[in-house]
Amino acid sequence: KEEHGAVLCLYKTDNDCVMKFTYSEHASGRSILTALKEPECSSGPNALTVLLAVVGTILLVGVVLLATWKLVITIHDRREFARFQSARIRARYHMVRKTPLLNTLCLFY
């Protein structure tokens, strides 16, 4: 509840807790302090969680890079194999056409 003339105050304790309270003066001259909430204490990050997050991120990045490298190499190898197969078939065709025995047989046929 809001009181007329009340001032909102924040106080930080030695163990990093923040307390919220209001301060007001009563008509009789008495000071009134009203705590608004329980103290809010922040805890630091858990060291094990941070360590596992960093290690997990490094492993994930490594696996993604390896998978990408494998994909690039596989595509390159398939292209090279197709080029090799094409060159082998062309070489076999040229070898057959340039054989003299076959050329003479083809003339008599």
Side-chain angles (χ1 to χ4, degrees):
K1 64 183 181 180
E2 289 187 26
E3 296 180 23
H4 183 68
V7 178
L8 176 65
C9 299
L10 300 173
Y11 175 73
K12 190 170 186 177
T13 63
D14 293 335
N15 55 357
D16 289 335
C17 294
V18 177
M19 296 183 68
K20 293 181 182 179
F21 60 93
T22 59
Y23 170 78
S24 62
E25 295 246 354
H26 195 267
S28 64
R30 293 177 47 196
S31 298
I32 301 172
L33 291 175
T34 307
L36 297 178
K37 292 183 179 178
E38 292 292 321
E40 298 174 4
C41 299
S42 62
S43 60
N46 188 357
L48 182 62
T49 305
V50 171
L51 177 68
L52 289 176
V54 169
V55 169
T57 303
I58 291 171
L59 286 175
L60 181 65
V61 167
V63 167
V64 167
L65 286 175
L66 283 174
T68 304
W69 178 254
K70 176 69 175 167
L71 180 66
V72 168
I73 293 300
T74 301
I75 291 171
H76 181 264
D77 285 347
R78 286 184 181 176
R79 285 182 182 165
E80 286 293 320
F81 185 70
R83 194 174 300 143
F84 167 74
Q85 290 285 58
S86 176
R88 190 177 76 157
I89 290 170
R90 275 187 275 126
R92 191 179 299 164
Y93 175 73
H94 288 299
M95 204 168 144
V96 167
R97 293 215 4 127
K98 292 184 178 182
T99 305
L101 178 62
L102 289 177
N103 286 339
T104 55
L105 289 176
C106 291
L107 290 176
F108 292 114
Y109 181 68

